């Protein structure tokens, strides 16, 4: 990859001859012997077609491997060998490769095979301007050569302006004899520089395309002018699909600040940086860190934008923050729980004794009962925090069916009071190796939440089946708890598993799902949910997946309904 | 019928003072000890049906006490009653772990469950699975 600015360096060198020479020597060394030969023994195929052809072929091999750091080629075409040699001497000072061609055919061949920066066309006095232009035109007809600038060296000053116009497209400049060396060098230098810049641009464009960064250039009105392969990869749109379309229509973008503020910022500061949310071709939302730069130089208000996908990075950071936060909360919870549990036990025992004490009468009895109820709430909270305690160190094989049935038994009365119809769909009885207490706690939380979501009654469907986890492709058991309750609000969905997040401020601890998820994750399992709106009712499903479960007793496929 | 005797061990006097009458109301005779050393003295001096001990105590912990007690009386059921969140590492001599947070009623139920299981299968020890089941009553 060529660093930008190589050509600027060349221009500077040109104004300082000594420095330039050392540079050219160094380049020669880098290029190897043949390049040096090409410079010092310019291609001079005067009348010898055969040898000229050979030289051309030899030269071609060198030329095609050239890059922007190297010298440019100047082609001098003309029949007058002495003249051509004198131009070559004048131009030698520039340190570029000078190639001489004695006929238009040779010139054409050279142009086809090498990258020529500028062509110097010597028009002799016996050749009419017309012939010279025709010859030049013939050369330039070839589509690949359209861009090659030509400087005509004319013995007589140019008289007919119409001729000039006619060939304006190809013949870019004229110079009259006697040729002033300084003038010739200046003119050639301008074109050599131009050529060099063009080459640099090509390289840059190619590099831009190779960049993994998504580079987009849009004009002042927001129409896409450039779209590199990085942009294709990131946004899914192919270059040809989006060129000429409006950027904001191709990529719906959400800016971190109101979009009306982005443009003024871009105009005043010349650039804007930030992370935006964008929709790719597949409709997926991605986070892209972008930098927009206003191209001031061309005055069109074109904007160059570079961007890269940071969705994964943001997700990883968020996950890390989340897990750090949870770990900290977990440690804190353990310490607090222990410190609270000891006095709490004493208080609970005291209230238990007070409440049933024969001397307690009337109002005092009521106060004691209220105190006991409030203490029970504290106990409930710390028990949720203590959710990880196990009654044994050794895991045992537990039937999921038994776990769920036990929980349904415990909740039986509440389900009945709330007029909730329970549908059991136990397709397989699965056994997992684990701790019954914590597994029960998970389903107690899920079934408890479902019950609370259906104060007006509803249906609770619990299914147990053998399944494969999508993400991990592991086999295991899946238990789904679905209810027809109030559903989950979209804004709550993201925070559902956060500790202390609750939609039931009066009787929720906000720990149930957090603890449950923690338990399931210890089993390398997953706890997910889905909330759908079907017709006029919500269906909310929590799905627990625990891998590595063994099928104990496969049951009949028919659902067992209670 | 003679009441079953529970040896209740805790280094906190208040806890012990309040836990005793709760267990007594549930129909047990309660003997208390403020440390593992004291508890072992009691164990060697009279018949105890169940050892209910705190885990974190100065000197020996509840699980260490359980080991020593089982050495003396292999059939003596031992319940650890604790406020800690993590299960102690040396639980092999303990029949059941009960969290202090479960409240008086749950504690009495679990004590009853362990005692009844011990009566039924006295001498052989009760099955591990059953033990887990019984310990698991969620309130």
């Amino acid at each position: 990859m060529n660093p930008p600015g190589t050509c600027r360096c060349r221009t500077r060198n040109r104004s300082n001859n000594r420095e330039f020479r050392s540079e050219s020597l160094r380049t020669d060394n880098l290029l190897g012997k043949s390049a040096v030969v090409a410079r010092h023994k310019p291609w001079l195929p005067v009348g010898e077609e055969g040898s000229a052809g050979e030289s051309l072929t030899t030269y071609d091999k060198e030329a095609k491997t050239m890059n922007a750091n190297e010298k440019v080629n100047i082609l001098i075409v003309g029949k007058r060998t002495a003249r051509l040699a004198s131009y070559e001497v004048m131009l030698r000072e520039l340190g570029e490769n000078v190639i001489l061609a004695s006929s238009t055919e040779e010139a054409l061949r050279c142009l086809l095979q090498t990258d020529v920066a500028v062509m110097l066309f010597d028009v002799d006095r016996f050749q009419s301007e017309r012939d010279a232009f025709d010859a030049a035109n013939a050369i330039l007809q070839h589509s690949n050569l359209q861009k090659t600038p030509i400087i005509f060296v004319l013995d007589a000053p140019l008289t007919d302006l119409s001729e000039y116009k006619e060939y304006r497209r190809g013949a870019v400049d004229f110079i009259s004899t006697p040729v002033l060396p300084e003038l010739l060098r200046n003119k050639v230098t301008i074109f050599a520089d131009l050529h060099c810049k063009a080459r640099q641009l090509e390289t840059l464009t190619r590099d831009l395309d190779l960049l993994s960064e998504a580079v987009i250039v849009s004009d002042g009105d927001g129409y896409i002018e450039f779209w590199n392969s990085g942009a294709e990869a990131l946004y899914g749109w192919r270059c040809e699909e989006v060129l000429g379309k409006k950027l904001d229509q191709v990529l719906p973008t959400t800016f971190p600040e109101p979009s009306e503020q982005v443009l003024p910022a871009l105009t005043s500061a010349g650039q804007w940086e930030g992370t935006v949310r964008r929709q790719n071709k597949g409709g997926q939302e991605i986070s892209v860190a972008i930098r927009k730069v206003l191209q001031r130089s061309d005055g069109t208000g074109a904007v160059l934008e570079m961007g890269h996908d940071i969705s994964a990075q943001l997700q990883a950071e968020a996950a890390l923050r989340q897990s750090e936060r949870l770990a900290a909360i977990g440690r804190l919870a353990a310490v607090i729980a222990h410190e609270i549990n000891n006095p709490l036990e004493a208080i609970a025992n005291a209230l238990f004794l007070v409440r049933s004490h024969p001397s307690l009468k009337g109002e005092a009895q009521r106060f004691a009962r209220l105190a006991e109820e409030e203490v029970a709430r504290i106990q409930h909270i710390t028990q949720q925090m203590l959710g990880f305690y196990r009654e044994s160190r050794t895991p045992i094989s537990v039937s999921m069916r038994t776990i769920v049935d036990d929980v349904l038994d415990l909740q039986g009365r509440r389900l009945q009071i709330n007029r909730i119809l329970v549908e059991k769909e136990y397709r397989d009885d699965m056994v997992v190796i684990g701790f019954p207490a914590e597994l029960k706690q998970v389903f107690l939380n899920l079934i408890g939440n479902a019950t609370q979501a259906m104060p007006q009654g509803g249906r609770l469907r619990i299914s147990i089946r053998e399944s494969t986890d999508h993400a991990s492709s592991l086999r295991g058991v899946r238990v789904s708890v679905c209810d027809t309750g109030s559903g989950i609000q979209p804004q709550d969905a993201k925070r559902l598993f956060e500790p202390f997040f609750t939609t039931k401020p009066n009787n929720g601890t906000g720990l149930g799902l957090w603890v449950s998820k923690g338990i399931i994750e210890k089993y390398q399992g997953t706890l997910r949910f889905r909330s759908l709106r079907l017709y006029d009712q919500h269906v909310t499903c929590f799905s627990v997946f625990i891998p590595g479960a063994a099928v104990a007793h496969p049951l009949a496929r028919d659902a067992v309904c209670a | 019928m003679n009441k079953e005797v529970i040896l209740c061990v805790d280094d906190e006097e208040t806890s012990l003072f309040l836990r005793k009458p709760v267990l007594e109301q549930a129909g047990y005779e309660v003997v208390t000890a403020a440390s593992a050393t004291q508890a072992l003295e009691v164990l060697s001096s009279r018949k105890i049906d169940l050892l209910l001990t705190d885990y974190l105590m100065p000197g020996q912990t509840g699980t260490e006490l359980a080991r020593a007690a089982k050495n003396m009386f292999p059939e003596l059921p031992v319940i650890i009653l604790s406020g800690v969140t993590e299960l102690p590492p040396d639980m092999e001599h303990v029949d059941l772990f009960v969290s202090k947070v479960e409240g008086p009623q749950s504690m009495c139920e679990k004590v009853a469950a362990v005692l009844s299981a011990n009566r039924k299968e006295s001498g052989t020890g009760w099955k591990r699975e059953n033990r887990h089941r019984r310990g698991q009553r969620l309130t």
Side-chain angles (χ1 to χ4, degrees):
Chain A
M1 216 177 276
N2 301 304
T6 323
C7 283
R8 270 209 310 279
C9 177
R10 175 202 300 282
T11 315
R12 205 166 50 238
N13 284 344
R14 216 171 257 124
S15 61
N16 184 335
N17 235 353
R18 205 174 298 161
E19 196 186 331
F20 162 72
R21 284 224 171 90
S22 68
E23 169 81 3
S24 81
L25 275 172
R26 195 178 58 79
T27 314
D28 286 349
N29 289 338
L30 285 171
L31 281 172
K33 214 169 152 191
S34 51
V36 182
V37 173
R39 187 159 68 92
H40 294 296
K41 288 189 178 175
W43 189 50
L44 235 173
V46 190
E48 285 178 30
E49 282 296 318
S51 64
E54 263 177 48
S55 315
L56 239 169
T57 324
T58 322
Y59 191 86
D60 178 49
K61 281 176 190 158
E62 303 296 329
K64 292 290 173 189
T65 55
M66 282 173 71
N67 63 39
N69 279 329
E70 297 167 16
K71 290 192 275 277
V72 296
N73 299 309
I74 301 162
L75 177 64
I76 308 176
V77 190
K79 290 198 162 60
R80 294 176 296 188
T81 316
R83 281 284 192 98
L84 301 199
S86 72
Y87 301 149
E88 200 237 326
V89 173
M90 289 180 203
L91 293 175
R92 187 174 286 167
E93 202 177 291
L94 297 179
E96 309 292 3
N97 290 323
V98 177
I99 305 165
L100 305 185
S102 62
S103 68
T104 50
E105 291 77 32
E106 274 167 30
L108 185 60
R109 230 183 303 161
C110 175
L111 281 165
L112 284 172
Q113 292 177 14
T114 56
D115 183 26
V116 173
V118 56
M119 182 160 67
L120 201 65
F121 208 107
D122 180 54
V123 184
D124 68 64
R125 100 181 53 124
F126 306 108
Q127 196 181 16
S128 71
E129 282 174 12
R130 180 86 227 175
D131 290 345
F133 293 155
D134 282 349
N137 199 32
I139 292 169
L140 295 171
Q141 282 298 308
H142 199 288
S143 64
N144 284 349
L145 313 173
Q146 291 277 345
K147 285 174 198 156
T148 311
I150 301 180
I151 302 171
F152 287 104
V153 184
L154 301 168
D155 281 347
L158 191 69
T159 47
D160 191 349
L161 209 66
S162 68
E163 299 286 342
Y164 179 82
K165 271 182 192 160
E166 194 180 343
Y167 294 98
R168 196 190 170 94
R169 194 163 49 106
V172 206
D173 209 349
F174 299 86
I175 190 165
S176 304
T177 49
V179 174
L180 298 170
E182 193 62 27
L183 188 66
L184 179 68
R185 275 197 293 271
N186 281 346
K187 287 200 185 244
V188 167
T189 301
I190 287 167
F191 289 119
D193 272 352
L194 255 178
H195 178 80
C196 190
K197 289 249 160 62
R199 212 193 257 178
Q200 191 188 0
L201 255 179
E202 274 168 30
T203 314
L204 263 178
T205 311
R206 205 170 49 238
D207 291 350
L208 279 180
D209 210 47
L210 289 172
L211 276 179
S212 59
E213 291 255 327
V215 182
I216 303 168
V217 178
S218 49
D219 69 11
D221 299 317
Y223 291 96
I224 297 165
E225 288 180 334
F226 179 82
W227 185 272
N228 79 340
S229 59
E232 289 184 340
L234 179 55
Y235 301 117
W237 294 100
R238 309 268 319 150
C239 176
E240 55 270 23
E241 291 175 307
V242 298
L243 282 189
K245 292 191 181 158
K246 284 207 103 169
L247 177 59
D248 53 1
Q249 277 164 13
V250 173
L251 296 174
T253 304
T254 315
F255 288 93
E257 54 200 86
S259 51
E260 311 86 67
Q261 289 176 20
V262 174
L263 197 63
L266 186 60
T267 318
S268 61
Q271 65 168 46
W272 183 88
E273 254 179 278
T275 302
V276 297
R277 306 276 305 157
R278 264 188 181 154
Q279 247 175 34
N280 64 13
K281 192 182 181 182
Q284 203 187 344
E285 223 183 49
I286 45 176
S287 294
V288 189
I290 61 166
R291 181 161 169 228
K292 282 176 177 284
V293 182
L294 191 65
Q295 303 300 97
R296 285 181 186 284
S297 51
D298 61 3
T300 59
V303 175
L304 173 85
E305 181 200 295
M306 285 156 287
H308 61 272
D309 188 3
I310 55 164
S311 307
Q313 187 191 333
L314 288 180
Q315 267 170 18
E317 281 170 11
L320 185 67
R321 271 201 304 275
Q322 180 75 347
S323 66
E324 278 172 352
R325 209 172 115 208
L326 294 189
I329 289 175
R331 284 192 297 273
L332 186 69
V335 173
I336 291 177
H338 178 245
E339 292 310 307
I340 286 177
N341 288 347
N342 282 316
L344 194 59
E345 190 232 354
I347 296 170
N349 284 343
L351 286 169
F352 178 78
L353 294 167
V354 166
R355 196 190 46 153
S356 51
H357 203 274
S359 70
L360 203 68
K361 298 274 181 298
E363 215 179 11
Q365 220 164 23
R366 202 175 135 243
F367 291 152
R369 203 183 60 245
L370 285 175
E372 202 180 22
E373 277 170 21
E374 294 306 298
V375 166
R377 273 179 62 182
I378 302 177
Q379 284 176 322
H380 180 63
I381 293 171
T382 61
Q383 196 169 15
Q384 289 280 29
M385 289 171 148
L386 279 167
F388 295 98
Y389 88 82
R390 294 163 171 181
E391 66 285 358
S392 156
R393 286 195 77 77
T394 332
I396 57 165
S397 58
V398 193
S399 148
M400 288 310 270
R401 196 193 157 120
T402 311
I403 296 275
V404 175
D405 277 345
D406 280 1
V407 173
L408 284 172
D409 280 352
L410 276 169
Q411 295 278 299
R413 233 182 92 71
R414 269 175 76 193
L415 292 166
Q416 216 175 3
I417 291 168
N418 287 3
R419 298 193 313 281
I420 291 165
L421 179 72
V422 180
E423 295 170 14
K424 296 191 210 171
E425 208 179 290
Y426 300 166
R427 295 202 186 161
D428 310 286
D429 188 19
M430 313 284 293
V431 166
V432 296
I433 307 300
F435 301 92
E438 53 189 27
L439 289 171
K440 270 186 200 169
Q441 187 164 12
V442 171
F443 294 104
L444 195 67
N445 285 328
L446 296 183
I447 293 170
N449 283 347
T451 310
Q452 285 176 343
M454 298 186 283
Q456 309 299 320
R459 277 166 36 203
L460 176 71
R461 175 184 289 175
I462 297 166
S463 73
I464 304 175
R465 62 187 185 280
E466 201 183 350
S467 167
T468 305
D469 183 47
H470 251 337
S472 62
S473 348
L474 289 169
R475 294 292 289 169
V477 57
R478 189 175 299 281
V479 185
S480 305
V481 178
C482 301
D483 68 65
T484 57
S486 46
I488 292 160
Q489 296 302 309
Q491 69 269 22
D492 295 339
K494 275 185 184 167
R495 305 189 54 204
L496 223 52
F497 293 108
E498 283 182 18
F500 302 107
F501 177 78
T502 180
T503 56
K504 298 165 281 199
N506 292 327
N507 55 2
T509 60
L511 292 169
L513 286 176
W514 174 63
V515 166
S516 300
K517 197 170 164 54
I519 292 171
I520 296 303
E521 281 171 358
K522 275 197 306 187
Y523 288 78
Q524 269 83 51
T526 55
L527 173 57
R528 298 205 181 97
F529 70 93
R530 214 190 287 174
S531 193
L532 304 166
R533 203 188 160 84
L534 283 179
Y535 305 108
D536 56 339
Q537 69 178 12
H538 289 278
V539 174
T540 306
C541 280
F542 277 82
S543 164
V544 171
F545 175 82
I546 298 176
V551 186
H553 326 285
L555 296 173
R557 287 259 144 187
D558 303 308
V560 184
C561 290
Chain B
M1 176 193 155
N2 280 339
K3 284 182 180 175
E4 286 168 298
V5 185
I6 298 172
L7 172 56
C8 193
V9 191
D10 203 310
D11 59 311
E12 281 190 51
E13 203 187 325
T14 312
S15 295
L16 215 49
F17 174 74
L18 288 165
R19 198 181 299 139
K20 185 172 185 259
V22 171
L23 290 165
E24 281 169 350
Q25 268 191 26
Y28 304 105
E29 186 184 334
V30 181
V31 186
T32 60
S35 70
T37 324
Q38 237 182 63
L40 290 171
E41 277 168 26
V42 175
L43 279 172
S44 55
S45 67
R46 62 167 297 176
K47 185 185 182 301
I48 297 293
D49 295 301
L50 183 134
L51 173 61
L52 177 68
T53 174
D54 186 24
Y55 172 62
L56 280 176
M57 292 183 292
Q60 279 178 293
T61 64
T63 45
E64 283 163 355
L65 171 60
R67 179 197 303 271
K70 290 261 180 177
N71 267 339
M72 292 161 71
F73 308 99
E75 281 153 41
L76 175 73
V78 180
I79 296 177
I80 293 275
L81 181 70
S82 177
V84 295
T85 52
E86 271 300 309
L87 206 64
D90 47 346
M91 283 286 287
E92 55 274 15
H93 299 289
V94 177
D95 294 80
L96 190 67
F97 179 88
V98 177
S99 168
K100 279 188 177 174
V101 84
E102 289 180 46
Q105 244 156 341
S106 171
M107 177 184 72
C108 292
E109 278 169 23
K110 288 185 173 177
V111 164
V114 171
L115 276 170
S116 102
N118 201 53
R119 274 197 303 272
K120 271 183 211 157
E121 302 180 34
S122 102
T124 56
W126 43 309
K127 282 182 185 162
R128 220 180 163 74
E129 283 79 4
N130 283 345
R131 190 158 50 180
H132 286 290
R133 274 282 174 77
R134 274 172 225 277
Q136 255 337 284
R137 191 51 45 88
L138 287 160
T139 48

